[in-house]
Amino acid sequence: MASEDITKLAETLAKTQVAGGQLSFKGKSLKLNTAEDAKDMIKEIEDFDGLEALRLEGNTVGVEAARVIAKALEKKSELKRCHWSDMFTGRLRSEIPPALISLGEGLITAGAQLVELDLSDNAFGPDGVRGFEGLLKSPACFTLQELKLNNCGMGIGGGKILAAALTECHRKSSAQGKPLALKVFVAGRNRLENDGATALAEAFGIIGTLREVHMPQNGINHPGVTALAQAFAINPLLRVINLNDNTFTEKGAVAMAETLKTLRQVEVINFGDCLVRSKGAVAIADAIRGALPKLKELNLSFCEIKRDAALAVAEAMADKAELERLDLNGNALGEEGCEQLQEVLDGFNMAKVLASLSDDEGEDEEDEDEEEGEEEEEEEEEEEEEEEEEGEEEEPQQRQGEEPATPSRKILNSSTGTDTSDPEKVVSAFLKVSSVFKDEATVRTAVQDAVDALMRKAFSSSAFNANAFLTRLLVHMGLLKSEDKIKAITNLCGPLMALNHMVQQDYFPKALAPLLLAFVTKPNGALESCSFARHSLLQTLYKV
């Protein structure tokens, strides 16, 4: 590091905030690669008596720097709070686990007793969970009350590892007479899906002390929602339940409603954008009516709820003296329904608690039978997916001389016949294949094989317009505006992971990389919800 850089770093550190046992390097944008880079931070840590909280957010820490910082932490037995979100920006995924292992070992050696651990916004994936698994199982976390892992890309595998570590922590701490009493759990935007959520639900049921659970945007359907509901029922101190942007349908909503009947301390319920629908909303209203005396906020926005069901929800608020906000925006009430909703709440002197209804979809003429039919169709699709997954694990015996019907072959069959002279058809096939991407070895390999077969054929064809392909792909992903009325796909994680693989292959025209990079770096909500996949692709594109 140049002398002027060291001087600048020293000046930045001189501005470090120190208050109430807290040492903060938050938002300093320090790039710490080597022991030399970290020496001034280490001195600050070593010289700080009674260190209880260390903030490292908004910096980037490499393996070697993490090792020497960990060494400095070995003497900080009073450390209780580690605010370590967003501290690996620009790092390779392979760098993060060893860095986390070193920092965890430093805390364990110190004999620290953590109360809060925040590793949010670090795109470390399942491997990253392995990096702090040992810390979670150690005495340093027997006292843990708040665990925050928002937006880390853990996936199903990471969720299972995390659940096992929490269960082991509870077992070990219970053996010492002081069971783990976790109060706050945050793990939004992690692609946990049903299996990851179910594994964590089992751990929650064992722990039993949760007060806040935040798990929005995880691709959880009714089986996972039901498992979580059953776990919440044996966490009687729950105050906040945030499952925004998952998919309940009626089955999940009914299961959650049954749990709400048993809880008394709940203050905040966020089931917005969860496809609760009318029957689910009525079940929740029935559960809340006469219960949940401390309820302050209920969010059922964008859930495809119709007028009568919304009115039932409003009527259930009659005795909620502490209610501050009721959000039913983005449903299908119609102008008259919105007015009736306001009148119901006016009758309870609660007019001010109703959130804006500016995004109401208008009264839906579709009858209940059609809604029920849609729900049954969705559940059938889920069951078919589950059967396909089971089929992948236990394939039928093939005839002699035939190759096994592997997941890769099933996916390939859907794309090999694509007319590669038509960019639009290639885009459609690419998105169809990448949509089934999962962070599991067999599925990941199958998707990559299918992408290779499709795109190698396309890019090698003299009739294929590569620029038109990329442009159309960006339009379908919602990253580029078009005059055509094309509905962008909602989940970009699979396509981003498939692109990450494709751009590394010899068949990919490297001249397309700058255009792709330009659009993936632009601010976009859909990209932000897949931060791990986006981060991985950006890392690759910078090297192409």
Side-chain angles (χ1 to χ4, degrees), residues 168-182:
E168 182 68 3
C169 180
H170 186 273
R171 186 189 68 78
K172 287 182 174 179
S173 56
S174 296
Q176 294 191 6
K178 293 183 178 179
L180 171 68
L182 190 66

Side-chain angles (χ1 to χ4, degrees), residues 277-279 281-282 285 303-315 326 328 330-344 357 360-366 368 371:
R277 290 206 172 120
S278 295
K279 290 185 178 180
V282 170
C303 281
E304 295 191 6
I305 299 169
K306 298 177 185 176
R307 179 178 60 180
D308 290 348
L311 293 175
V313 171
E315 289 164 359
L326 173 62
L328 288 165
N331 288 299
L333 312 185
E335 185 177 346
E336 184 179 346
C338 291
E339 292 174 358
Q340 289 177 333
L341 190 64
Q342 187 72 55
E343 289 171 5
V344 169
L357 297 172
D360 186 73
E361 296 288 339
E363 191 163 12
D364 194 343
E365 298 299 329
E366 184 181 85
E368 291 296 323
E371 180 179 303

Side-chain angles (χ1 to χ4, degrees), residues 144-460:
L144 195 64
Q145 294 181 14
E146 300 182 28
L147 179 59
K148 300 174 181 178
L149 299 166
N150 201 55
N151 197 29
C152 292
M154 290 189 291
I156 294 171
K160 289 181 176 180
I161 296 167
L162 176 61
L166 288 172
T167 301
E168 182 68 3
C169 180
H170 186 273
R171 186 189 68 78
K172 287 182 174 179
S173 56
S174 296
Q176 294 191 6
K178 293 183 178 179
L180 171 68
L182 190 66
K183 295 179 180 178
V184 177
F185 180 83
V186 180
R189 293 185 175 183
N190 271 291
R191 298 180 290 118
L192 294 170
E193 300 183 22
N194 288 334
D195 289 349
T198 299
L200 285 165
E202 292 176 6
F204 296 163
I206 292 169
I207 293 168
T209 56
L210 288 167
R211 298 187 181 184
E212 295 186 22
V213 176
H214 302 264
M215 295 174 67
Q217 295 185 8
N218 270 298
I220 307 170
N221 298 326
H222 72 80
V225 172
T226 299
L228 288 170
Q230 292 168 349
F232 294 165
I234 42 183
N235 280 265
L237 300 178
L238 261 179
R239 295 197 307 241
V240 178
I241 304 174
N242 177 7
L243 294 177
N244 187 283
D245 200 6
N246 290 291
T247 306
F248 282 37
T249 64
E250 183 185 348
K251 285 186 178 180
V254 168
M256 197 60 70
E258 288 301 311
T259 285
L260 292 176
K261 293 176 182 178
T262 68
L263 300 174
R264 300 290 297 171
Q265 305 301 319
V266 173
E267 297 176 5
V268 177
I269 299 171
N270 187 345
F271 296 158
D273 203 13
C274 282
L275 203 64
V276 166
R277 290 206 172 120
S278 295
K279 290 185 178 180
V282 170
I284 290 171
D286 289 344
I288 290 175
R289 187 177 291 105
L292 302 186
K294 298 182 179 181
L295 187 65
K296 294 181 179 179
E297 180 177 337
L298 174 62
N299 184 347
L300 291 174
S301 61
F302 299 93
C303 281
E304 295 191 6
I305 299 169
K306 298 177 185 176
R307 179 178 60 180
D308 290 348
L311 293 175
V313 171
E315 289 164 359
M317 301 298 110
D319 59 345
K320 304 297 179 284
E322 297 185 30
L323 190 69
E324 298 172 0
R325 181 179 175 83
L326 173 62
D327 194 345
L328 288 165
N329 195 22
N331 288 299
L333 312 185
E335 185 177 346
E336 184 179 346
C338 291
E339 292 174 358
Q340 289 177 333
L341 190 64
Q342 187 72 55
E343 289 171 5
V344 169
L345 292 169
D346 279 342
F348 305 147
N349 294 319
M350 290 184 176
K352 293 181 179 179
V353 307
L354 184 62
S356 168
L357 297 172
S358 59
D359 293 318
D360 186 73
E361 296 288 339
E363 191 163 12
D364 194 343
E365 298 299 329
E366 184 181 85
D367 61 28
E368 291 296 323
D369 290 339
E370 289 183 24
E371 180 179 303
E372 187 174 327
E374 279 185 14
E375 190 145 316
E376 287 176 357
E377 187 176 316
E378 286 168 3
E379 288 169 6
E380 283 173 8
E381 287 175 3
E382 286 176 18
E383 287 171 6
E384 284 174 9
E385 287 176 8
E386 289 169 8
E387 286 171 6
E388 283 178 11
E389 289 173 5
E390 290 172 4
E392 289 169 9
E393 294 173 5
E394 187 177 341
E395 293 290 345
Q397 291 184 340
Q398 67 271 18
R399 295 173 185 172
Q400 189 172 2
E402 286 185 342
E403 293 183 30
T406 61
S408 175
R409 185 162 299 281
K410 292 177 182 176
I411 299 171
L412 277 168
N413 286 340
S414 70
S415 60
T416 50
T418 301
D419 177 7
T420 53
S421 65
D422 186 339
E424 187 69 27
K425 290 180 180 178
V426 176
V427 167
S428 178
F430 177 87
L431 292 175
K432 181 178 180 181
V433 168
S434 62
S435 68
V436 302
F437 182 92
K438 286 187 179 181
D439 197 17
E440 297 172 3
T442 54
V443 181
R444 180 170 60 248
T445 301
V447 170
Q448 291 173 352
D449 287 349
V451 167
D452 288 342
L454 173 68
M455 300 313 303
R456 188 182 300 278
K457 180 182 176 183
F459 285 127
S460 63

Side-chain angles (χ1 to χ4, degrees), residues 451-452 456 500-510:
V451 167
D452 288 342
R456 188 182 300 278
N500 186 39
H501 171 77
M502 183 180 76
V503 300
Q504 299 177 61
Q505 308 311 308
D506 56 5
Y507 60 74
F508 178 74
K510 300 299 185 275

